[in-house]
């Protein structure tokens, strides 16, 4: 994009506290808003000297610097200025759906529900519970051996959970663990015992209440186990309680390695603060946050996974029914950790059961880590591309899957992959999207010319393919979709161009064979101006992209950009060396020595006419999303009819399969529900095209004819089977 600050805060050192970081960032933002500047920008002046500096020359210098600073502030604040936010906050008390029903947080609580009181009364056990809860629980278990009443099974699970919470409050963890185990196995019994299939009513609110009992007793069990042990999948644990001994086997169900995670967090301890939507599904299991271990530098694939990355995990306890007994008598349980991105249901006791999942909180947990904030420093990427280049690259927020199609999201100017998090969060909430697609993100120094970033992205995509699929066996890699916002759309489209010598002719009318200089410098220039389409890319979606430049890249902003954007010294030196070693070869040396991102986006930039008439890959399909404000401000009107930064005449393209108009300003187009839903529509269309081609290529002739005639097809059920 042209200008896009995000609402999330900048990076900070690991040792800095959150409170200190927020205070520092707030002070920094206030300083910029008030026209202040760091000493490195305006120079250090002693107070006495400052008061004495009244000469006309000093005043002119001061006014010039103030004008430059004000201009920079205007340049950066066109899209909203600096702001801070957190992606999630820690809850003082964990979220628990049983809290209200069982009065867990009241002074008198916890207490059993009125319905359970009525069940105890029916069986003559109410007074017994008041006198001795443990004796009452034993009587219920004895009664259940002869009377398999779902109401009584639920009552036993609820009573056990309440007693477990009481024991936990007293600090008796062993007793609490025993009660939670009884609640867990009996709620499992209520939900899956075949003997109850005729009397169990899934439309009864008690059924959902039993699901909550299963989930919460499992979570409380896990919390106690995590305090005593470092839970690690693949290990077996023996847990002793006053009444019995449990054996817990742990297993991973997903594309993970058993030793991949450093530790687990509980989703219920956190609350979403910034992301617009929280995507959950309701069922059985405990949503958790699995935090990956530090990268293993000897594995080249680890370079594509950010440090402190966290994944969504759902924990489930499978209680095997003994050959002669009930579920509650089971001494061996299997604790499984499921990947909700792989499937959102699991087969338990011959029943397909939806998993309780939370895809958003683990994402927000990662976005709040110091390492992610440091890596996604948007202002550094704009003003200091030289230092920001160390973080350049492709990044994955989930394990690489050879069976899913990559969707690569490319940010714009003064931005980072963080700008895509709302769209990413929403898109993968659709099962049909997350089952077939995996999402990647590209981070690059946005202050450099976009054609240089396009060259680097071509190289980075080549390296990724060589790392994960060197033999080119993964067919989905050749069905890649690029989604680019603003300047990222230009970078994305350049991946599908056959340059010929059109781009070379922008800088020279002589053959490139005449180019002289160091081999490395010559190769870099040639690779920037001569390139072929990336055969892995089959569809491109551009959003708010200035295909013909933007009027906000004018003389003032370009002058300011040259004052403040620090281009990589190597790039500037390379351009100067090539100009020096090739007198009279270049017709436009400015593109080699001075151009920055703002220069490259000017409407009079010679690259735009070349891009318009360039040869694009015929196998690629293009889609466009454009912003047109219905009620623009005076400043936004200066850009013409459009999103306030990019005019419609610049954003529209004739070679697109579709074009959607959205009433949104430039920095927020890709965050709107209309744009996100349109991207979903395009991704589904992409799947239909791929699946249609596969069917025609592999189905027998009579099957193809039947499909063409409209015969229905069977959709396979995706889930975890034992």
């Amino acid at each position: 994009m042209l200008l896009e600050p995000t609402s999330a805060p900048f990076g900070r050192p690991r040792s800095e506290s959150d409170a200190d970081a927020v205070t520092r960032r707030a002070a920094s933002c206030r300083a910029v808003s008030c026209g202040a500047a760091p000493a490195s920008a305006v120079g250090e002046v002693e107070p006495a000297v400052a008061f004495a500096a009244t000469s006309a020359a000093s005043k002119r210098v001061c006014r010039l610097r103030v004008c430059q600073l004000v201009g920079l502030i205007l340049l950066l604040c066109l899209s909203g200025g600096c702001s801070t936010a957190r992606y999630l906050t820690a809850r003082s008390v964990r979220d628990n759906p049983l809290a209200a029903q069982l009065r867990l947080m009241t002074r008198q609580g916890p207490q059993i529900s009125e319905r359970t009181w009525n069940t105890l009364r029916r069986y003559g056990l109410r007074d017994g519970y008041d006198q001795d809860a443990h004796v009452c629980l034993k009587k219920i278990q004895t009664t259940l051996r002869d009377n398999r009443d779902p109401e009584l099974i639920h009552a036993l699970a609820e009573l056990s959970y309440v007693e477990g919470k009481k024991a936990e409050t007293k600090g008796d963890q062993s007793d609490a663990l025993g009660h939670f185990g009884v609640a867990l196995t009996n709620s499992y019994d209520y939900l899956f015992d075949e003997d109850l299939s005729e009397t169990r009513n899934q439309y009864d609110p008690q059924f959902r209440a039993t699901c909550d009992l299963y989930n919460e007793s499992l979570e409380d069990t896990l919390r106690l186990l995590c305090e005593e042990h470092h839970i690690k999948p693949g290990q077996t644990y023996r847990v002793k309680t006053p009444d019995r001994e449990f054996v817990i086997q742990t297993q991973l169900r997903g594309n993970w390695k058993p030793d991949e995670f450093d530790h687990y967090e509980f989703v219920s301890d956190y609350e979403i603060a910034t992301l617009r939507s929280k995507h959950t599904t309701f069922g059985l299991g405990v949503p958790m946050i699995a935090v990956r271990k530090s990268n293993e530098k000897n594995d080249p694939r680890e370079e594509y996974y950010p440090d402190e990355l966290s994944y969504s995990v759902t924990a489930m306890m499978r209680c095997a029914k003994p050959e002669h007994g009930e579920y509650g008598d089971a001494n061996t349980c299997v604790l499984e950790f499921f990947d909700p991105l792989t499937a959102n249901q699991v087969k338990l006791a011959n029943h397909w059961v939806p998993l309780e999942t939370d895809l958003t909180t683990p994402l927000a947990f990662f976005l709040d880590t110091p390492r992610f904030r440091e890596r996604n420093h948007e202002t550094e990427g704009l003003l200091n591309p030289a230092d920001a280049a160390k973080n350049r690259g492709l990044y994955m927020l989930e394990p690489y899957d050879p069976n899913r199609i990559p969707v690569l999201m490319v940010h714009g100017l003064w931005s980072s992959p963080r700008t895509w998090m709302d769209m990413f969060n929403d898109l993968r909430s659709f099962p049909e999207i997350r089952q077939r697609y995996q999402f990647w993100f590209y981070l690059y120094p946005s202050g450099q010319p976009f054609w240089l970033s396009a060259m680097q992205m071509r190289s980075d995509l080549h390296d990724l393919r060589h790392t994960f699929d060197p033999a080119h066996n993964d067919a989905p890699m050749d069905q890649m979709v690029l989604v680019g916002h603003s300047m990222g759309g230009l970078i994305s489209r350049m991946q599908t161009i056959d340059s010929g010598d059109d781009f070379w002719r922008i800088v020279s009318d002589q053959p490139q064979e005449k180019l002289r200089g160091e081999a490395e410098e010559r190769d870099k220039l040639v690779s920037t101006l001569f390139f072929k389409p990336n055969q892995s890319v089959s569809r491109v979606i551009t959003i708010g992209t200035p295909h013909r430049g933007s009027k906000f890249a004018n003389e003032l902003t370009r002058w300011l950009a040259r004052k403040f954007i620090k281009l990589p010294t190597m790039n500037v030196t390379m351009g100067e060396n090539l100009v020096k070693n090739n007198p009279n070869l270049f017709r436009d040396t400015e593109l080699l020595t001075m151009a920055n991102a703002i220069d490259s986006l000017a409407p009079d930039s010679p690259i735009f006419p070349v891009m318009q008439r360039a040869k694009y890959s015929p196998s690629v399909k293009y889609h466009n999303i454009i912003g047109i404000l219905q009620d623009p401000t005076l400043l936004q009107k200066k850009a013409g009819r459009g999103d306030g930064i990019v005019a419609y005449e610049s954003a529209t393209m004739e070679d697109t399969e579709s074009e959607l108009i959205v009433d949104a300003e430039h920095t927020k187009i890709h965050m709107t529900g209309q744009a996100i839903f349109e991207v979903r529509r395009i991704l589904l269309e992409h799947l239909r095209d791929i699946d249609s081609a596969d069917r025609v290529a592999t189905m027998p002739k009579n099957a193809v004819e039947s499909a063409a005639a409209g015969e229905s097809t069977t959709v396979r059920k995706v889930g975890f089977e034992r």
Side-chain angles (χ1 to χ4, degrees):
M1 59 173 286
L2 272 178
L3 292 169
E4 184 197 352
T6 59
S7 59
F10 302 134
R12 63 180 185 272
R14 289 177 181 264
S15 60
E16 184 179 28
S17 69
D18 289 342
D20 292 341
V22 171
T23 302
R24 175 178 57 79
R25 289 193 298 269
S28 174
C29 288
R30 287 195 298 270
V32 173
S33 299
C34 294
S40 60
V42 298
E44 296 182 357
V45 183
E46 292 292 331
V49 178
F51 284 111
T54 58
S55 66
S58 297
K59 290 181 179 179
R60 284 196 298 271
V61 171
C62 184
R63 283 197 298 270
L64 176 60
R65 286 176 173 168
V66 169
C67 288
Q68 291 177 354
L69 185 59
V70 170
L72 177 63
I73 294 170
L74 288 174
L75 174 66
L76 299 183
C77 292
L78 284 173
S79 299
C82 57
S83 59
T84 61
R86 296 300 303 269
Y87 279 95
L88 82 172
T89 57
R91 297 177 184 270
S92 57
V93 178
R94 79 171 179 92
D95 186 34
N96 188 332
L98 297 173
Q101 179 184 359
L102 303 182
R103 302 176 181 87
L104 298 179
M105 304 308 300
T106 63
R107 184 174 299 177
Q108 298 79 16
Q111 299 177 12
I112 60 177
S113 65
E114 186 64 27
R115 184 164 175 174
T116 296
W117 275 122
N118 291 334
T119 301
L120 293 181
R121 188 188 69 252
R122 286 173 55 221
Y123 284 90
L125 298 169
R126 182 161 183 166
D127 294 338
Y129 178 70
D130 288 333
Q131 295 170 5
D132 191 324
H134 287 74
V135 172
C136 181
L137 290 173
K138 293 293 185 182
K139 288 183 178 180
I140 295 176
Q141 291 172 325
T142 301
T143 304
L144 282 173
R145 296 186 186 278
D146 300 320
N147 189 349
R148 302 292 295 159
D149 183 358
E151 291 278 351
L152 197 56
I153 296 175
H154 175 87
L156 176 59
E158 185 179 299
L159 289 171
S160 299
Y161 184 75
V162 167
E163 292 305 310
K165 298 301 287 185
K166 291 179 179 178
E168 187 179 44
T169 302
K170 296 176 181 177
D172 190 345
Q173 294 190 353
S174 178
D175 193 27
L177 195 59
H179 283 300
F180 291 144
V182 173
L184 178 65
T185 54
N186 278 277
S187 57
Y188 191 93
D189 191 4
Y190 177 100
L191 297 170
F192 299 113
D193 190 349
E194 289 298 327
D195 295 338
L196 304 179
S197 59
E198 298 296 328
T199 55
R200 186 168 45 225
N201 181 4
Q202 296 188 14
Y203 298 97
D204 187 339
Q206 188 183 75
F207 187 90
R208 179 60 223 183
T210 309
C211 293
D212 291 336
L213 276 172
Y214 172 88
N215 292 343
E216 299 312 314
S217 57
L218 174 57
E219 177 163 343
D220 284 304
T221 298
L222 290 175
R223 286 177 179 273
L224 293 176
L225 290 177
C226 287
E227 290 180 9
E228 195 167 332
H229 308 277
H230 185 70
I231 298 297
K232 183 177 180 181
Q235 301 296 318
T236 299
Y237 300 90
R238 292 186 177 274
V239 180
K240 293 184 178 181
T241 68
D243 298 327
R244 60 198 299 190
E245 179 177 317
F246 291 92
V247 176
I248 300 178
Q249 301 172 352
T250 58
Q251 298 178 359
L252 272 178
R253 305 294 189 194
N255 296 324
W256 307 310
K257 302 174 183 176
D259 59 346
E260 185 165 358
F261 300 120
D262 178 71
H263 67 280
Y264 297 86
E265 302 273 349
F266 291 92
V267 160
S268 59
D269 286 333
Y270 300 96
E271 187 173 9
I272 299 298
T274 299
L275 292 171
R276 299 182 182 185
S277 301
K278 180 179 179 179
H279 298 295
T280 60
T281 60
F282 297 97
L284 292 185
V286 178
M288 301 182 72
I289 304 167
V291 183
R292 293 184 87 242
K293 291 181 179 179
S294 300
N295 291 347
E296 299 178 7
K297 300 303 181 182
N298 58 338
D299 187 348
R301 292 172 297 183
E302 285 297 320
E303 296 180 5
Y304 297 93
Y305 300 110
D307 292 339
E308 301 177 14
L309 182 59
S310 55
Y311 295 147
S312 298
V313 171
T314 295
M316 175 83 73
M317 188 81 83
R318 192 189 300 271
C319 304
K321 186 175 182 179
E323 185 176 353
H324 302 289
E326 305 301 330
Y327 284 107
D329 299 327
N331 289 329
T332 300
C333 297
V334 180
L335 175 62
E336 298 169 291
F337 295 90
F338 293 97
D339 179 4
L341 292 176
T342 303
N344 58 5
Q345 54 187 346
V346 58
K347 201 168 188 178
L348 296 175
N350 296 318
H351 296 275
W352 281 104
V353 179
L355 288 172
E356 185 107 353
T357 67
D358 184 333
L359 299 178
T360 304
T361 304
L363 172 62
F365 186 89
F366 165 65
L367 298 179
D368 248 17
T369 59
R371 287 291 295 141
F372 179 81
R373 293 173 182 274
E374 293 169 8
R375 190 181 292 261
N376 288 264
H377 204 316
E378 292 87 354
T379 302
E380 181 186 44
L382 172 67
L383 299 182
N384 195 352
D387 287 348
K390 63 180 179 293
N391 292 324
R392 190 195 90 222
L394 288 140
Y395 296 100
M396 304 176 183
L397 301 189
E398 53 195 55
Y400 170 76
D401 189 340
N403 299 311
R404 289 192 289 165
I405 301 169
V407 177
L408 177 57
M409 295 179 158
V410 188
H411 66 81
L413 183 67
W414 196 25
S415 187
S416 74
R418 157 168 32 196
T419 193
W420 293 110
M421 291 304 121
D422 275 304
M423 178 179 285
F424 169 56
N425 181 44
D426 286 351
L427 285 177
R428 70 172 183 170
S429 71
F430 296 102
E432 65 273 19
I433 296 296
R434 65 173 178 261
Q435 287 173 6
R436 298 290 300 276
Y437 287 104
Q438 55 187 323
F439 293 87
W440 302 344
F441 303 90
Y442 190 58
L443 174 64
Y444 63 94
S446 65
Q448 64 188 16
F450 69 83
W451 52 77
L452 180 58
S453 298
M455 180 270 291
Q456 293 171 343
M457 183 169 152
R458 280 192 294 272
S459 174
D460 292 336
L461 280 170
H462 174 271
D463 293 343
L464 181 144
R465 185 69 181 263
H466 180 73
T467 300
F468 286 94
D469 183 30
H472 287 222
N473 292 326
D474 301 343
M477 287 283 278
D478 292 322
Q479 299 158 351
M480 187 183 301
V481 180
L482 304 184
V483 185
H485 181 216
S486 194
M487 189 169 75
L490 297 174
I491 296 171
S492 298
R493 282 192 69 115
M494 288 196 75
Q495 306 305 307
T496 64
I497 291 178
D498 186 341
S499 69
D501 62 356
D502 293 340
F503 290 87
W504 170 259
R505 292 188 178 278
I506 296 175
V507 298
S508 177
D509 55 5
Q510 299 184 43
Q512 59 101 359
E513 287 78 13
K514 291 187 176 182
L515 186 64
R516 299 290 180 267
E518 296 290 334
E520 183 179 356
E521 295 177 344
R522 287 188 289 109
D523 291 343
K524 187 170 184 179
L525 179 61
V526 170
S527 63
T528 303
L529 300 176
F530 291 91
F531 44 87
K532 293 289 185 180
N534 187 325
Q535 299 302 317
S536 295
V537 179
S538 59
R539 198 173 295 256
V540 176
I541 305 171
T542 52
I543 305 175
T545 297
H547 296 289
R548 298 168 186 82
S550 171
K551 292 181 181 179
F552 269 99
N554 52 41
E555 291 184 3
L556 173 62
T557 56
R558 293 170 70 180
W559 177 79
L560 288 169
R562 292 181 182 181
K563 293 292 183 182
F564 291 99
I565 293 179
K566 181 182 178 182
L567 291 172
T569 303
M570 182 179 67
N571 291 347
V572 176
T573 303
M574 181 196 78
E576 292 174 347
N577 289 342
L578 289 174
V579 171
K580 180 179 178 181
N581 293 329
N582 295 274
N584 303 321
L585 179 67
F586 300 110
R587 62 156 66 105
D588 189 345
T589 60
E590 187 178 44
L591 291 176
L592 302 178
T593 58
M594 292 184 63
N596 54 53
I598 307 299
D599 289 321
S600 70
L601 295 169
D604 60 356
S605 174
I607 199 169
F608 289 119
V610 175
M611 288 186 66
Q612 296 295 314
R613 62 174 183 266
K615 298 177 183 178
Y616 285 83
S617 174
S619 61
V620 178
K621 294 183 178 180
Y622 302 94
H623 301 266
N624 210 0
I625 301 175
I626 300 173
I628 296 182
L629 292 168
Q630 299 301 313
D631 188 21
T633 64
L634 290 176
L635 183 61
Q636 291 169 337
K637 287 180 179 179
K638 292 186 177 181
R641 176 174 171 265
D643 61 19
I645 297 292
V646 179
Y648 174 78
E649 290 74 15
S650 177
T652 188
M653 291 291 285
E654 296 180 356
D655 61 353
T656 58
E657 300 286 316
S658 64
E659 182 176 287
L660 176 69
I661 304 297
V662 178
D663 180 13
E665 60 186 39
H666 184 74
T667 60
K668 298 179 180 178
I669 301 174
H670 59 305
M671 302 177 188
T672 62
Q674 301 99 309
I676 294 172
F677 197 72
E678 172 69 359
V679 173
R680 172 184 176 269
R681 183 196 67 79
I682 295 168
L683 293 179
L684 293 178
E685 179 181 315
H686 190 54
L687 292 179
R688 286 193 294 270
D689 289 351
I690 292 171
D691 293 343
S692 176
D694 288 344
R695 283 196 297 269
V696 171
T698 60
M699 291 173 61
K701 181 179 179 181
N702 59 344
V704 175
E705 293 173 352
S706 298
E711 291 186 6
S712 62
T713 57
T714 301
V715 179
R716 68 184 179 91
K717 179 176 287 188
V718 179
F720 295 97
E721 281 198 78
R722 194 172 183 180

